[in-house]
Amino acid sequence: MTELRCKVLIVGGGPGGYVAAIRAGELGLDTILVEADRLGGTCLNVGCIPSKALIHAADAVHALTEPHALNALGVSIAPPALDYARTIAWKDAIVTRLTTGVGALLKKAHVRSLRGRATLLDGKSALVHADTGEQRIHCEHLVIATGSEPMELAALPFGGDILSSTHALALTDVPRSLAVVGAGYIGMELGMAFAKLGTKVTIVEALPKILPLYDDELTQPVARSLADLGVETMLGARALGFADGALKVANAEGAGTTVAADKVLVAVGRRPRTSGFGLETLDLAMAGPFLRIDERCATSMRNVWAIGDVTGEPMLAHRAMAQGEMVAEIIAGERRAFDHLAIPAICFTDPEIVAVGLSPDAAKAAHGEILIGLFPFRANGRAMTKQADEGFVRVVARADNHVVLGIHAVGAGVSELSAAFSLALEMGARLEDIAGTIHAHPTESEAFHEAALKALGKPLHI
């Protein structure tokens, strides 16, 4: 057995783990990264990146199969044909390019990357099982970045025609019909993508609304888009089981019914990956199913750190990346603490949703009187020229000092506005700061400017 020693051992090569490793290596820390599968973790390989590739392909197909928008531009085309195998090959090529890039960045930072399954022996050592043999690694600092995995339902265990999001992204053919159990962001994103690819999609959600983490004002445009796509939505309904091409459902009234489906996508959330690698030997403090951490991502054991999905909500790749970068810098001797004020949440539905900071209700509960400015894209010239004038930008601020508390948007491509929204909250912007910043014309970002003006009571274009 090979014995290795390092300053920092990182278990998990997803967004949090590999970013922590790169930064640690850049700071001169002797670092080993252990990943059981492929670098990049769920996000890069079977989550964020491939799902967005599929969504883009679906958007392209939908634009060609719904010619009314193109006809308005004076464009007419022959009926398109979809070669889904080539679509998947294109998606996989993007993933390969990015995972190869992560490996190159780790090598450049002088990080030792090991492909194998780690078993923690204590807070200072781990055993790595690889095809080439076993290696015992001794470290001064241990970083746990094992991520999360899809949750399954007892009545709908994964396998065969019952899919997790990972399985859905690996399909080699577009299903004729698909039942999606769960109307959170994963179910909604993939459900809408497959609907655009020609699948008959039915969404089954136990709660009384879609996308329950967002307020109704943000989700109404998405609900209208679902209807336009012909997606049937069953709210307040529970999935009971699947057999012989039929999903058994108890509807909102409690009556039993069935949904015909070739495949069932179970998208009811994700759970932290805390088993299978010896975590129980560390006897760490837990916060429910998650590892408990403080504002520095330190666990209850000295020099044992945890980052990303295994530490709780929000389970977002960019949160994990920020935590990973911070932990590496703390180990290197810098003074850092994690600020969760401005973590953008994005739903890549049609239209997209962005939320940063507090919702209007949460802002009012926390700060009392508030100001709200909302500017619709139907009054934005750039949105009109893109045939994408559904949605709006909304700014929420304190009434007394105009400090911005939350920024939200729904519309085509609004994910690209998220950095501006986050920067405003991160820097403690007031409405006057946004209103006094010149926003380029014609761009969708003007809606951000106009929303701030509206909140101040001096709108220009509405």
Side-chain angles (χ1 to χ4, degrees):
M1 182 184 297
T2 305
E3 300 275 343
L4 299 175
R5 296 187 179 275
C6 62
K7 179 78 171 181
V8 183
L9 170 61
I10 301 171
V11 179
Y18 83 71
V19 166
I22 290 172
R23 175 62 82 235
E26 290 174 342
L27 293 170
L29 304 176
D30 183 17
T31 303
I32 294 177
L33 174 66
V34 179
E35 168 55 46
D37 195 1
R38 299 175 67 188
L39 290 172
T42 294
C43 178
L44 202 160
N45 291 284
V46 293
C48 318
I49 299 301
S51 66
K52 303 314 167 284
L54 181 65
I55 289 169
H56 176 69
D59 287 342
V61 171
H62 184 63
L64 298 176
T65 55
E66 295 290 328
H68 59 276
L70 293 175
N71 290 342
L73 303 178
V75 178
S76 59
I77 55 173
L82 174 65
D83 185 341
Y84 195 60
R86 291 180 64 183
T87 303
I88 297 302
W90 168 75
K91 179 255 303 180
D92 291 344
I94 294 172
V95 171
T96 298
R97 178 180 175 185
L98 289 171
T99 53
T100 301
V102 170
L105 291 170
L106 289 167
K107 185 176 181 180
K108 182 180 179 181
H110 306 292
V111 174
R112 288 178 281 176
S113 298
L114 299 180
R115 171 79 175 273
R117 187 168 297 279
T119 300
L120 302 179
L121 302 177
D122 51 46
K124 295 291 185 181
S125 62
L127 189 64
V128 176
H129 310 270
D131 294 339
T132 55
E134 292 188 342
Q135 296 173 306
R136 187 187 296 270
I137 304 174
H138 303 273
C139 63
E140 295 181 31
H141 293 265
L142 171 66
V143 181
I144 301 170
T146 49
S148 63
E149 58 195 7
M151 291 176 59
E152 64 180 3
L153 297 173
L156 295 169
F158 296 138
D161 293 327
I162 302 177
L163 315 174
S164 69
S165 56
T166 298
H167 302 137
L169 289 167
L171 290 173
T172 56
D173 296 297
V174 178
R176 290 174 301 174
S177 56
L178 175 70
V180 180
V181 180
Y185 76 94
I186 294 174
M188 291 291 290
E189 288 181 2
L190 292 180
M192 296 186 87
F194 278 109
K196 289 182 177 181
L197 292 172
T199 301
K200 170 58 180 174
V201 175
T202 303
I203 293 175
V204 178
E205 170 58 50
L207 295 177
K209 61 171 291 185
I210 62 170
L211 297 170
L213 294 181
Y214 299 95
D215 63 74
D216 290 344
E217 197 168 34
L218 288 171
T219 60
Q220 284 170 359
V222 179
R224 288 192 289 270
S225 182
L226 283 173
D228 290 342
L229 289 170
V231 175
E232 181 183 356
T233 305
M234 302 177 66
L235 301 178
R238 294 181 296 110
L240 304 177
F242 179 74
D244 301 324
L247 178 68
K248 297 179 182 178
V249 177
N251 64 23
E253 291 74 36
T257 185
T258 60
V259 174
D262 293 329
K263 305 286 184 182
V264 176
L265 168 60
V266 178
V268 293
R270 299 181 65 83
R271 62 187 178 194
R273 188 175 286 121
T274 55
S275 62
F277 60 96
L279 183 65
E280 62 277 2
T281 64
L282 272 60
D283 192 28
L284 297 174
M286 305 295 290
F290 303 103
L291 292 178
R292 179 177 294 169
I293 57 172
D294 63 13
E295 73 281 356
R296 299 166 69 245
C297 290
T299 69
S300 56
M301 288 185 65
R302 185 173 181 272
N303 290 350
V304 176
W305 315 81
I307 58 178
D309 288 3
V310 76
T311 65
E313 298 287 356
M315 291 186 180
L316 299 170
H318 40 282
R319 170 180 176 263
M321 290 178 173
Q323 289 178 323
E325 182 181 9
M326 179 194 71
V327 165
E329 293 173 356
I330 290 173
I331 294 173
E334 298 185 21
R335 297 185 63 182
R336 290 285 310 276
F338 189 74
D339 185 357
H340 62 274
L341 172 68
I343 303 176
I346 302 175
C347 188
F348 290 88
T349 44
D350 179 9
E352 296 175 350
I353 298 176
V354 175
V356 188
L358 301 179
S359 68
D361 287 345
K364 189 173 183 178
H367 299 281
E369 189 178 355
I370 60 172
L371 299 175
I372 299 176
L374 186 149
F375 189 84
F377 282 120
R378 67 175 181 271
N380 176 267
R382 180 56 177 151
M384 293 180 193
T385 64
K386 293 170 62 179
Q387 296 179 296
D389 60 357
E390 173 78 279
F392 56 84
V393 174
R394 185 181 68 197
V395 178
V396 181
R398 290 177 55 149
D400 55 356
N401 57 15
H402 297 179
V403 170
V404 176
L405 302 173
I407 309 169
H408 319 95
V410 55
V414 294
S415 58
E416 299 303 329
L417 298 178
S418 63
F421 297 171
S422 298
L423 183 62
L425 261 69
E426 178 69 26
M427 300 192 73
R430 299 174 187 267
L431 291 171
E432 289 81 359
D433 296 316
I434 300 168
T437 299
I438 297 174
H439 290 68
H441 175 77
T443 66
E444 291 182 33
S445 69
E446 289 177 278
F448 184 27
H449 177 236
E450 294 276 0
L453 288 172
K454 181 76 180 302
L456 289 169
K458 48 181 182 181
L460 288 175
H461 290 96
I462 191 172

